[in-house]
Amino acid sequence: MSIQYILEIVGTFAFAISGALAVKDQKHQDWFGASFTAFISSIGGGTLRDVLLDSYPLVWISDITIIHAIILGIIVTFIFYKFLLRLRKTLFLFDTFGIALFTLVGTEKALNLGVRPEIAVIMGVFTATMGGVIRDVMTNEIPIIYRKEVYATACFTGACVYLILDRFGVERNTTFILSAMVIIVIRILAVRNGWSVPRFFR
């Protein structure tokens, strides 16, 4: 079991917690609603990527450990939700780590399936962000990619860095780590300093 795979499972677990917590302020916050939202948050981006790339079976169908990670995230949220709500900064770090990893996993998978680099970058961004977008729509929130904070832009930048390093033949693990750090650093600095992408309409 590789470190990358372990980290991917941890990211899935963190996204499941994020999804389950998202229904806290909803009128109907039953087990099914929380579980479904957690599930969509965790696998939505990867599912969309695999469908668009015609890659079957879907990753969560072929690997039951992903489902187990989601179920564990739901149970942990149910038991410790008051404690988790006090750890929003910690969950933010998990979420940031998760999108960094999923961006690169998605980009790398697309490249391995033979698509053009430009499409691989898009697939990487989709993998990292679309689960959160679907979650926000389901809970009547403004999708995170439309909010002021830097989110998808950090993923896009990290995916581009990955392509550049890969093109110059940098060792795979080094490429993975450096690209992930780019995403993590951009995201943390953007939130801490209030950075945002320039407005399209002025």
Side-chain angles (χ1 to χ4, degrees):
M1 185 179 295
S2 68
I3 295 297
Q4 176 189 336
Y5 179 74
I6 293 173
L7 296 180
E8 186 172 0
I9 296 300
V10 171
T12 301
F13 171 76
F15 280 163
I17 291 176
S18 174
L21 285 175
V23 304
K24 179 184 178 297
D25 297 323
Q26 301 300 306
K27 184 177 180 180
H28 301 290
Q29 41 177 280
D30 57 21
W31 265 89
F32 180 82
S35 300
F36 188 74
T37 308
F39 188 81
I40 290 297
S41 300
S42 302
I43 58 89
T47 298
L48 177 61
R49 175 203 64 214
D50 288 349
V51 170
L52 291 174
L53 293 174
D54 197 28
S55 176
Y56 298 98
L58 301 178
V59 64
W60 56 271
I61 293 177
S62 62
D63 186 357
I64 194 62
T65 305
I66 291 176
I67 303 298
H68 292 163
I70 295 172
I71 293 173
L72 181 60
I74 294 168
I75 294 173
V76 167
T77 304
F78 175 74
I79 297 174
F80 300 109
Y81 81 94
K82 291 183 179 180
F83 176 70
L84 290 171
L85 288 173
R86 294 197 297 267
L87 291 178
R88 289 193 181 275
K89 290 184 178 180
T90 302
L91 291 177
F92 160 76
L93 292 176
F94 270 107
D95 181 71
T96 299
F97 177 79
I99 64 170
L101 179 64
F102 287 173
T103 297
L104 303 178
V105 167
T107 302
E108 188 173 74
K109 181 169 185 177
L111 289 173
N112 289 338
L113 290 173
V115 304
R116 292 178 57 85
E118 301 94 320
I119 303 302
V121 169
I122 295 173
M123 292 299 103
V125 174
F126 277 9
T127 304
T129 64
M130 291 308 294
V133 169
I134 298 171
R135 175 202 64 210
D136 291 340
V137 171
M138 289 174 59
T139 55
N140 295 316
E141 298 287 343
I142 298 174
I144 193 166
I145 61 172
Y146 293 137
R147 298 177 200 169
K148 185 177 180 180
E149 61 185 88
V150 173
Y151 194 78
T153 307
C155 300
F156 176 82
T157 304
C160 290
V161 170
Y162 180 93
L163 289 180
I164 292 171
L165 295 176
D166 183 66
R167 183 67 179 270
F168 281 97
V170 179
E171 193 268 330
R172 179 185 175 278
N173 288 336
T174 301
T175 296
F176 208 92
I177 293 171
L178 291 177
S179 303
M181 290 303 299
V182 167
I183 298 172
I184 292 169
V185 169
I186 290 176
R187 178 91 170 110
I188 292 176
L189 290 179
V191 170
R192 178 172 295 179
N193 299 311
W195 295 347
S196 61
V197 179
R199 292 173 59 88
F200 185 77
F201 297 106
R202 297 185 178 275

